[in-house]
Amino acid sequence: MIENPEHKMVHLKKTLSYELGIGQSTIYNTILEYQRTKTVSSPNKTKVRKQLTEKVDEFDKYGIRRKVHQFWHDRDTPTLDKILVSVNEDKGLPNFSRTSLFRLLKSMDFVYMKRGRNSDETLVNAGDVNSKVWVDKTVTSARVASSEGLSTGAINPTGKGKRLIVSHIGSEDGFVPGGLLCFESKKNTQDYHDEMNGDSFRDWLEGVLPKLKDNAVIVMDNAPYHSVKIEKCPTTNWRKADIIAWLQSKGEQVDNTMLVIELLDQVKKLKPLYNNYVIDEMVKANNKIVLRLPPYHCELNAIELAWAIVKKHVKDNNKTFKLQDIKHLLVEGVNKVSPDMWKNFVGHVIKEEEKAWSLDNVVQDLMSAENQPCVLTIGQSDTDDDSDDDDEDFRYLSDTD
């Protein structure tokens, strides 16, 4: 301004902004600050945060890599939770949160990928393992692994191996003591119903019933071995002569000239008297009640959540793929499911049931408003008329996996 007194302040701000590459508002605030305080403070600089990979040096990364590979050397599965505990317990390594460790492993070329085979969800197999594991992509060969003291990664089972057929029963008090059924499958078939059939399930349940409280409600699905009928009733697959013979055995007068469809209409009237389940009658004789779930609604059975915990324990700790060790892990997994867990499982199922009923009510209202027939998707299936959920003293849940 001394050299060019004719220039106005606005012109000078524009010139400074252009020459210095600074915004005019910054120049204005700086001048204003100087006029007030006779000093100019340094502007705050945005801190450049280091990325996680920059905070952890190569020495620590190598230590973490060896931690992961040590699990493989010990024939153990390095899940993220196991790695986290191992790293954080080592005073020579930094502490991580679960998310931070996950990101670090990804940056170190570890890949969380699917293993070579899937386990059968309906059984406990000797070859059951976690379906996904951490794989070190930097290890390209056995020679590289050997030279660096690492491992070649997961050892996959060659097949499913021998298998266990398992059943149990539990409630809000936990799994029922002495209620575990566990035996080795002897048949090399894909369908375990060949061995877990109506007879074996009935024998197991007969031994369990005395361990349950009176008026207990046993929730089960409609698996074939749960649903053996006391007497088979005629269906469309029956020969006409057999249908007539069945009706006559019930004291019915039959006209031999009747068509099959007419005979089946007559059967339909009698069917409720003879369409009972072996299990239901046995349970009723022991002062208990069977509550059958609608098909395809496993979310309404709390034991499904309990089995998930048990199976996870088996898969996380299966190192040998030997059936005897699997039995031990199975019992450990069962003991791991506490009564508090069961209370949460039952509470979750009750909420799911309430949601389903609420949805049915909405559908019914909508269909009624449009004068359309309404089909309910949730309901009590094949239960006794005198059963009443509101009066139940205790709820047990049973299923076979």
Side-chain angles (χ1 to χ4, degrees):
M1 292 182 67
I2 296 175
E3 296 179 359
N4 301 286
E6 71 280 4
H7 288 182
K8 295 182 179 180
M9 181 62 72
V10 174
H11 177 74
L12 292 173
K13 289 176 183 176
K14 289 182 178 180
T15 302
L16 286 171
S17 176
Y18 177 78
E19 295 292 340
L20 300 176
I22 301 174
Q24 291 186 44
S25 60
T26 301
I27 295 173
Y28 174 80
N29 291 333
T30 302
I31 294 173
L32 185 63
E33 182 183 3
Y34 179 77
Q35 290 174 344
R36 291 175 177 175
T37 64
K38 302 302 180 183
T39 60
V40 178
S41 60
S42 176
N44 292 328
K45 295 182 179 179
T46 302
K47 293 182 179 180
V48 179
R49 295 182 178 273
K50 287 186 177 182
Q51 295 292 323
L52 176 65
T53 54
E54 297 174 331
K55 292 181 181 180
V56 183
D57 59 35
E58 293 301 317
F59 182 81
D60 287 339
K61 288 181 183 179
Y62 178 70
I64 292 170
R65 189 180 300 279
R66 290 187 65 87
K67 288 281 186 186
V68 177
H69 281 271
Q70 188 59 46
F71 282 99
W72 295 130
H73 284 305
D74 296 339
R75 297 181 64 85
D76 198 359
T77 306
T79 63
L80 183 61
D81 290 330
K82 289 181 181 179
I83 300 170
L84 182 66
V85 171
S86 179
V87 170
N88 286 347
E89 285 181 348
D90 192 329
K91 295 181 179 179
L93 294 173
N95 273 26
F96 295 91
S97 68
R98 198 174 187 275
T99 303
S100 296
L101 182 60
F102 178 85
R103 291 173 179 169
L104 180 64
L105 290 173
K106 297 279 283 185
S107 72
M108 293 167 59
D109 282 335
F110 280 97
V111 180
Y112 195 53
M113 62 185 297
K114 198 167 186 178
R115 295 180 84 166
R117 60 167 299 276
N118 293 323
S119 62
D120 189 332
E121 291 296 329
T122 61
L123 299 165
V124 180
N125 296 283
D128 277 353
V129 291
N130 283 319
S131 60
K132 288 189 175 182
V133 293
W134 286 100
V135 176
D136 190 349
K137 301 298 287 185
T138 66
V139 178
T140 56
S141 67
R143 180 180 296 179
V144 172
S146 178
S147 64
E148 298 185 12
L150 302 176
S151 71
T152 54
I155 299 175
N156 289 324
T158 56
K160 294 180 180 179
K162 296 181 178 180
R163 61 187 183 181
L164 299 175
I165 296 175
V166 184
S167 186
H168 212 330
I169 188 167
S171 72
E172 290 183 334
D173 288 343
F175 277 117
V176 175
L180 177 63
L181 170 67
C182 176
F183 62 93
E184 180 181 346
S185 173
K186 299 297 183 183
K187 295 183 180 180
N188 186 24
T189 59
Q190 292 183 349
D191 189 0
Y192 72 101
H193 298 126
D194 290 345
E195 294 174 273
M196 175 55 86
N197 52 38
D199 291 337
S200 55
F201 182 76
R202 185 187 65 244
D203 292 343
W204 168 74
L205 186 59
E206 191 173 24
V208 168
L209 286 174
K211 304 177 188 297
L212 311 183
K213 296 179 181 179
D214 285 343
N215 300 317
V217 177
I218 304 175
V219 180
M220 63 176 67
D221 60 24
N222 291 282
Y225 46 88
H226 294 163
S227 309
V228 177
K229 297 289 182 65
I230 294 177
E231 180 176 352
K232 291 184 178 181
C233 296
T235 66
T236 54
N237 294 327
W238 282 39
R239 294 169 58 248
K240 179 178 179 179
D242 294 333
I243 299 175
I244 292 175
W246 187 88
L247 286 169
Q248 289 175 339
S249 71
K250 308 305 178 190
E252 293 291 306
Q253 296 295 325
V254 181
D255 182 354
N256 291 339
T257 64
M258 294 174 66
L259 299 176
V260 169
I261 191 171
E262 294 174 319
L263 293 171
L264 290 175
D265 283 339
Q266 196 167 346
V267 168
K268 190 175 181 180
K269 297 175 183 178
L270 296 175
K271 196 171 181 179
L273 300 175
Y274 303 99
N275 196 32
N276 297 324
Y277 295 110
V278 173
I279 293 299
D280 294 41
E281 295 304 308
M282 181 181 73
V283 168
K284 186 192 298 185
N286 284 268
N287 298 318
K288 316 291 189 297
I289 300 169
V290 171
L291 177 62
R292 293 178 179 273
L293 297 177
Y296 314 114
H297 283 286
C298 61
E299 76 278 5
L300 299 179
N301 199 340
I303 204 167
E304 295 289 343
L305 300 172
W307 279 131
I309 300 294
V310 176
K311 288 181 178 179
K312 185 176 187 304
H313 180 79
V314 172
K315 293 178 181 180
D316 285 349
N317 297 281
N318 186 6
K319 304 176 185 179
T320 64
F321 314 136
K322 295 179 180 178
L323 199 63
Q324 193 59 42
D325 294 334
I326 295 297
K327 287 182 180 180
H328 178 69
L329 290 174
L330 179 70
V331 173
E332 282 186 350
V334 168
N335 293 334
K336 188 176 180 180
V337 184
S338 66
D340 286 340
M341 289 182 179
W342 266 99
K343 286 184 176 67
N344 291 332
F345 298 156
V346 173
H348 175 79
V349 165
I350 291 174
K351 289 179 181 178
E352 287 296 314
E353 184 181 9
E354 290 171 350
K355 284 163 52 178
W357 277 116
S358 176
L359 179 61
D360 273 348
N361 290 332
V362 171
V363 172
Q364 187 172 22
D365 290 342
L366 290 174
M367 298 298 285
S368 298
E370 298 178 4
N371 296 320
Q372 296 291 332
C374 177
V375 179
L376 299 182
T377 58
I378 297 295
Q380 189 167 308
S381 171
D382 295 323
T383 55
D384 298 314
D385 293 336
D386 58 349
S387 64
D388 187 354
D389 288 347
D390 295 332
D391 295 332
E392 68 185 54
D393 294 328
F394 205 69
R395 173 177 289 172
Y396 284 85
L397 299 111
S398 173
D399 195 11
T400 299
D401 233 342

